[in-house]
Amino acid sequence: MDKLRMVGGSPLQGEVIIAGAKNAALPILCACLLTDQTITLRNVPDLQDVRTMLKLLQEIGVEVRFPDAADRSYVALNAGNIKSSEATYEMVKTMRASILVLGPLLARMHSAKVSLPGGCAIGARPVDQHIKGLKAMGATIKIEGGYIQAETPSPQNRLKGASILTDMITVTGTENLLMAASLANGTTILENAAREPEVGDLAELLVKMGAKITGIGTDRLVIEGVDKLHGAEHSVIPDRIEAGTFLCAVAAAGGEILVKHCRPGTLDAVIVKLQEAGLKMEVGSDWIKASMSGRPKAVSFRTSEYPAFPTDMQAQLMAVNAIASGNATITETIFENRFMHVQELNRLGADIAIEGNTAIAQGVEALSGAIVMATDLRASASLVIAGLAAQGETQVDRIYHLDRGYDRMEQKLTLLGANIVRVK
């Protein structure tokens, strides 16, 4: 099992290029199931979760090609010969995003059997809102043996348009229902829809495929179903979470970096908090220049749905707060079990206490290297950030979590001057 070993104390200097967004790429890959024509994608990140999704799609019968063998960010998908409507437990257990095949399979093939998902242990992420929406569109759904089994009213019948108000904002729920509604008979209105940029990126691809969608970027999506969708070409948006992670890294370790190929407008909440922490930034159309000297200042924040501060950046900014001047209160409102990195940060010398869904961080002047264990994807990133700022050597175990969402992070950090290596 791979580990990362680093020696802290080296300020970061140089340029880093941001990869395509994992959370946009996964639903976009699933959208290929909606048509028998080829979907060509660029800027697809080479991540473990992406590779898992491609294997799942191949198991279903999707032809996956890399037109340029040297460039795995360029992918062509054709679902013209789907051989199965089942996503097995073996494929789904490692990645919650696998649930995203449910909507498109049901819409196009009129039936789907999808294992209940697994993935990071950061709290409950129920699929009840997916099921509620699909039932409103006429699907018959039952859960047995750990599988969601869904069918349209008859093998020939399409899903029907419906007005759907979800009980909570759900990103994957919005994406599943958006894909299903694109091939439904009639108009579907999704109220309380997620506004995340990754949802918008999926919607933009669907429009290129012939879907009729209005309200993109808002919490009210209107989808007029069409009989058939066609092939299209699309480039996945840059990963705002990866960009935010590198900004937190320079805020903690010091130095000056240029973050290239990003969308600063999707990072407003993160940029505001890092500026409060003392990170100096110049922002361009697709780049951010960031520099830090001295200790950051502690900043309190609260996670919430986009455009508020993202839960996927909570652990990284907590690592910055661990060495900041002053104390900060961090409130997690999305996932009830997303503070598992706190005890690992404390192993490095941080002073962080948990009270319910709130963490109170008292900044310390310096962290000390230690052996720590990653518990989930973003926790992994927070431990790397802390290790870059710590005195001495830090070893992060179980970094398979990190590889699920970051494309060669240690290589990018090495180019920025960090003393970090992967140990096989």
Side-chain angles (χ1 to χ4, degrees):
M1 195 176 295
D2 288 6
K3 306 172 183 181
L4 285 182
R5 189 174 293 157
M6 67 205 77
V7 177
S10 300
L12 303 180
Q13 302 284 344
E15 300 180 354
V16 60
I17 298 175
I18 300 305
K22 174 182 87 83
N23 290 337
L26 296 177
I28 281 172
L29 289 171
C30 294
C32 77
L33 296 168
L34 293 165
T35 178
D36 60 2
Q37 297 183 19
T38 299
I39 301 296
T40 303
L41 303 174
R42 295 187 182 273
N43 203 37
V44 177
D46 187 15
L47 306 171
Q48 188 56 48
D49 272 10
V50 169
R51 292 181 179 228
T52 299
M53 183 63 80
L54 290 173
K55 288 180 182 177
L56 170 57
L57 293 173
Q58 287 177 309
E59 187 176 88
I60 291 171
V62 176
E63 178 191 359
V64 177
R65 292 186 300 108
F66 295 94
D68 181 351
D71 183 8
R72 290 189 66 89
S73 70
Y74 177 27
V75 185
L77 306 150
N78 186 286
N81 294 301
I82 294 178
K83 63 184 181 183
S84 170
S85 291
E86 179 177 344
T88 64
Y89 172 73
E90 286 304 315
M91 293 303 301
V92 172
K93 66 180 180 180
T94 61
M95 187 177 65
R96 290 178 184 268
S98 304
I99 191 68
L100 288 164
V101 302
L102 177 62
L105 278 176
L106 181 60
R108 179 161 165 239
M109 306 305 292
H110 308 294
S111 68
K113 182 179 180 182
V114 180
S115 173
L116 289 168
C120 281
I122 59 173
R125 288 189 275 188
V127 297
D128 59 326
Q129 299 305 302
H130 304 237
I131 294 171
K132 172 185 175 181
L134 292 172
K135 282 184 174 180
M137 297 169 70
T140 301
I141 298 179
K142 59 182 179 180
I143 299 177
E144 59 182 30
Y147 280 82
I148 302 169
Q149 300 185 47
E151 295 181 349
T152 56
S154 75
Q156 292 77 34
N157 284 1
R158 291 159 57 192
L159 294 170
K160 61 183 181 182
S163 182
I164 302 168
L165 172 62
T166 55
D167 299 333
M168 56 185 285
I169 298 174
T170 162
V171 173
T172 53
T174 298
E175 292 164 341
N176 237 335
L177 298 176
L178 180 60
M179 287 188 280
S182 296
L183 286 180
N185 183 16
T187 300
T188 298
I189 301 173
L190 297 182
E191 303 276 10
N192 203 27
R195 293 184 286 167
E196 271 70 5
E198 295 79 15
V199 176
D201 202 32
L202 170 64
E204 296 292 350
L205 168 62
L206 293 174
V207 169
K208 292 177 183 178
M209 294 169 65
K212 297 179 179 179
I213 305 169
T214 58
I216 296 173
T218 75
D219 61 1
R220 187 177 191 269
L221 294 171
V222 180
I223 308 102
E224 183 182 339
V226 297
D227 293 338
K228 192 173 183 179
L229 295 174
H230 52 71
E233 294 186 7
H234 185 73
S235 182
V236 177
I237 61 171
D239 196 321
R240 61 192 171 104
I241 304 303
E242 184 187 20
T245 298
F246 278 98
L247 291 175
C248 284
V250 73
E256 181 176 288
I257 67 171
L258 179 63
V259 180
K260 301 174 69 175
H261 191 225
C262 63
R263 285 195 180 181
T266 63
L267 278 165
D268 287 345
V270 174
I271 288 173
V272 166
K273 286 300 174 183
L274 286 172
Q275 285 176 326
E276 288 180 19
L279 187 66
K280 295 180 180 179
M281 281 181 272
E282 296 177 34
V283 178
S285 59
D286 63 352
W287 56 268
I288 301 171
K289 187 175 183 180
S291 62
M292 173 67 85
S293 59
R295 287 177 70 188
K297 300 173 185 175
V299 289
S300 297
F301 64 96
R302 178 186 182 91
T303 66
S304 192
E305 292 85 1
Y306 189 85
F309 195 92
T311 181
D312 278 356
M313 283 299 305
Q314 176 253 106
Q316 297 92 310
L317 188 50
M318 186 183 290
V320 177
N321 274 325
I323 59 161
S325 174
N327 60 72
T329 300
I330 299 107
T331 304
E332 173 60 53
T333 72
I334 306 298
F335 297 122
E336 75 281 359
N337 195 26
R338 204 166 199 176
F339 282 150
M340 290 188 291
H341 47 280
V342 169
Q343 63 181 0
E344 299 302 309
L345 288 172
N346 286 345
R347 283 178 54 80
L348 294 167
D351 183 2
I352 306 171
I354 300 174
E355 296 180 5
N357 69 333
T358 299
I360 302 166
Q362 178 64 55
V364 299
E365 289 193 11
L367 298 174
S368 299
I371 298 175
V372 291
M373 181 181 68
T375 53
D376 62 68
L377 169 55
R378 306 307 172 185
S380 309
S382 76
L383 297 176
V384 172
I385 291 169
L388 294 174
Q391 297 177 350
E393 183 177 290
T394 296
Q395 179 176 295
V396 182
D397 292 349
R398 295 177 62 181
I399 60 165
Y400 59 85
H401 288 294
L402 189 78
D403 293 336
R404 289 184 49 232
Y406 291 93
D407 186 3
R408 296 177 286 270
M409 176 183 263
E410 76 281 1
Q411 294 181 26
K412 293 182 178 182
L413 286 170
T414 297
L415 292 174
L416 293 175
N419 185 346
I420 181 171
V421 295
R422 179 180 290 254
V423 180
K424 294 287 185 179

